[in-house]
Amino acid sequence: MQALSNSRRLHRFLKSSILLNSDRFNASDVRIVEALRSSLQWRNHSSFSSETPFLSGFIRGSHSQLAQCAMFTMTLSRATFSSEAGAVEVEGNPTEAVKELYDKIYQSVVVKRTMAPNAWLWSLIENCNNHDDIKLLFNTLDNLRRFRLSNLRISSNFNENLCREVTKACARVGALDLGKKTLWKHNVYGLTPNIASAHHLLSYAKSHSDAKLMEEIMILLKNNDLPLQPGTADIVLSICYNTDNWPLMNKYAKKFVKSGVKLRQTAFDVWMEFASNIGDVESIWKTEKLRSESMKHQTLASGFSCAKAFLLECKPEEAAAVIQALNQDLPEAKRSSIAVELQKLVSEWPVEVIKRQKEENKKELASSLQADIPAMISALSNMGLEASVKMEDLIGKEGIPS
């Protein structure tokens, strides 16, 4: 039993030595210590099978063996530490500037055990130009986090501004796998997840029309308890619009409203314009009701969406009244845009909305619009709003069945 107790003491000593010096051990060091552990386990097993002179000697020499193992681990640690003082081995093809900054920070916090100047880290972030650069950045963050914890006794994460800049660098070079890690509530890099960081990744998804990436980011926001913001809605809904995905638009627009996010006018504009393009009158009026509860005045996009809803309901006079009211509410500088939007309503919107209807409904809708749009223009003229619109764009337009 004493042999078992001694072997356990030695095992605990080796284990603590490994933990104390874990950041200095390489793979070969671990294999050596594992060999010692295996030897101890073999000897422990032998103690139960039979008593031997060797076992007796082991019991008597347990204290000296502990001392020898202590000397071994200390020597091994010093040897490993010395090897780290040389150049750091780096995989991949990082840029020279990033590699140099990484080496300087590594030598400071890992080898010399002194805090590196903040300017080095900020410079490293700014100089990241490829995926391998970002990998070195994350390795650096891990080293700095451990140094702060073990040497400075700082357990808190880095500030949110650093997290934003790291995420921005990830988006800049397309290192999305690492960028998404900045949104993890529990991470080993000391990063503080925040919604502003998520916006950098969402903006990347928007610029690349990547709805799949957008959905992945939204899942991360939910799983890591990051609050949705009006800016989040702006980016997400515009991605849905750009990728022509109405079900996704409806899904996330409702999610934002249910979460209590106060949508901006830009979000309402995109939502209502998409609904008018697919001919969803019910969605237009529901969205307009939500919009009117939080803001008084219409924009060109929301006003013309309402006018299109009236045209889809075969109410050209009401459509004209909306446009007339919009013309009166808009500042003088923006009233010239009314004519531009009217021309789009005549020449572009009918084709767009008709092509999205079921085949059996296309001809009926085309006939209705060809009658109601001229009636709306005529009503506008009677109200004193003269608009130079090319009506021939409505008749015989390709894509409009006759």
Side-chain angles (χ1 to χ4, degrees):
M1 291 302 293
Q2 186 179 359
L4 177 60
S5 175
N6 287 331
S7 65
R8 286 175 175 172
R9 288 168 58 197
L10 182 55
H11 178 269
R12 285 195 299 270
F13 177 80
L14 286 171
K15 184 176 180 181
S16 64
S17 298
I18 294 169
L19 291 173
L20 287 171
N21 299 281
S22 59
D23 57 330
R24 300 178 183 174
F25 272 63
N26 56 31
S28 60
D29 301 332
V30 174
R31 285 195 295 270
I32 293 171
V33 175
E34 288 298 329
L36 283 174
R37 186 184 300 174
S38 299
S39 176
L40 285 174
Q41 291 172 347
W42 180 84
R43 293 176 185 179
N44 181 36
H45 176 74
S46 299
S47 68
F48 289 98
S49 59
S50 64
E51 289 190 11
T52 64
F54 171 79
L55 177 61
S56 176
F58 176 77
I59 296 172
R60 290 193 300 271
S62 60
H63 293 289
S64 63
Q65 287 189 352
L66 284 171
Q68 289 174 5
C69 286
M71 290 296 295
F72 171 77
T73 54
M74 290 173 64
T75 303
L76 182 59
S77 176
R78 285 196 296 269
T80 308
F81 184 87
S82 299
S83 67
E84 288 172 343
V88 182
E89 292 294 329
V90 174
E91 296 180 354
N93 295 294
T95 56
E96 191 60 34
V98 169
K99 173 64 167 62
E100 182 179 340
L101 287 163
Y102 171 78
D103 286 343
K104 288 167 68 175
I105 297 174
Y106 184 91
Q107 294 294 326
S108 178
V109 300
V110 176
V111 179
K112 298 178 182 177
R113 296 291 177 179
T114 58
M115 188 60 188
N118 288 337
W120 290 358
L121 177 59
W122 289 109
S123 182
L124 193 157
I125 294 171
E126 292 171 3
N127 280 280
C128 285
N129 286 312
N130 60 42
H131 194 278
D132 290 328
D133 287 347
I134 298 295
K135 287 170 65 177
L136 287 187
L137 170 58
F138 274 72
N139 287 342
T140 297
L141 292 171
D142 187 20
N143 288 333
L144 286 171
R145 179 196 62 81
R146 288 187 286 111
F147 175 83
R148 280 158 50 97
L149 182 61
S150 61
N151 289 60
L152 305 180
R153 300 296 186 266
I154 300 175
S155 59
S156 59
N157 285 342
F158 297 111
N159 60 47
E160 290 187 1
N161 187 43
L162 179 68
C163 183
R164 286 196 298 270
E165 292 303 313
V166 169
T167 314
K168 184 178 178 180
C170 292
R172 186 175 66 245
V173 306
L176 305 177
D177 55 332
L178 293 170
K180 285 185 282 189
K181 291 182 179 181
T182 65
L183 304 182
W184 292 359
K185 182 163 51 177
H186 304 293
N187 64 81
V188 299
Y189 307 106
L191 294 172
T192 304
N194 58 87
I195 195 64
S197 296
H199 287 177
H200 285 300
L201 297 178
L202 286 172
S203 295
Y204 177 94
K206 179 181 177 180
S207 64
H208 291 77
S209 297
D210 193 338
K212 181 180 178 182
L213 173 61
M214 180 266 288
E215 289 194 88
E216 291 173 356
I217 296 168
M218 292 300 290
I219 291 172
L220 283 172
L221 296 185
K222 179 181 178 181
N223 292 344
N224 292 280
D225 301 320
L226 291 175
L228 301 175
Q229 299 290 335
T232 318
D234 283 345
I235 303 173
V236 168
L237 298 188
S238 63
I239 292 173
C240 297
Y241 184 88
N242 295 340
T243 56
D244 197 27
N245 194 327
W246 172 249
L248 202 61
M249 164 84 79
N250 233 4
K251 169 187 172 181
Y252 281 108
K254 291 177 180 178
K255 185 184 293 288
F256 285 120
V257 172
K258 187 176 180 180
S259 299
V261 177
K262 187 176 180 180
L263 298 182
R264 296 171 180 163
Q265 184 66 65
T266 47
F268 282 117
D269 287 350
V270 171
W271 193 2
M272 294 178 69
E273 188 173 348
F274 204 156
S276 68
N277 285 343
I278 65 171
D280 191 336
V281 175
E282 183 181 0
S283 291
I284 294 173
W285 294 130
K286 284 183 178 180
T287 309
E288 168 58 16
K289 183 176 183 299
L290 287 171
R291 187 207 63 78
S292 63
E293 290 171 355
S294 57
M295 50 200 69
K296 183 185 295 184
H297 298 290
Q298 293 269 17
T299 63
L300 277 172
S302 63
F304 269 85
S305 294
C306 291
K308 291 170 184 177
F310 278 125
L311 288 172
L312 292 168
E313 293 176 334
C314 301
K315 299 175 180 178
E317 289 78 13
E318 285 86 343
V322 169
I323 296 173
Q324 171 64 5
L326 186 61
N327 183 64
Q328 293 175 344
D329 287 344
L330 285 177
E332 187 68 34
K334 292 186 176 181
R335 288 182 183 176
S336 59
S337 302
I338 294 286
V340 176
E341 291 301 317
L342 270 174
Q343 188 60 56
K344 289 181 180 178
L345 186 150
V346 172
S347 61
E348 298 176 12
W349 175 66
V351 176
E352 182 69 24
V353 70
I354 289 171
K355 76 178 183 181
R356 295 173 179 272
Q357 307 309 306
K358 294 179 179 180
E359 198 63 38
E360 60 269 23
N361 298 330
K362 287 183 178 181
K363 190 171 182 178
E364 180 183 353
L365 178 59
S367 299
S368 172
L369 292 179
Q370 286 175 337
D372 291 336
I373 290 177
M376 180 193 72
I377 299 297
S378 177
L380 281 172
S381 180
N382 294 335
M383 294 174 184
L385 180 59
E386 297 293 338
S388 178
V389 179
K390 297 178 181 178
M391 295 302 297
E392 59 269 21
D393 287 347
L394 181 62
I395 307 299
K397 185 85 171 181
E398 183 179 353
I400 299 180
S402 56

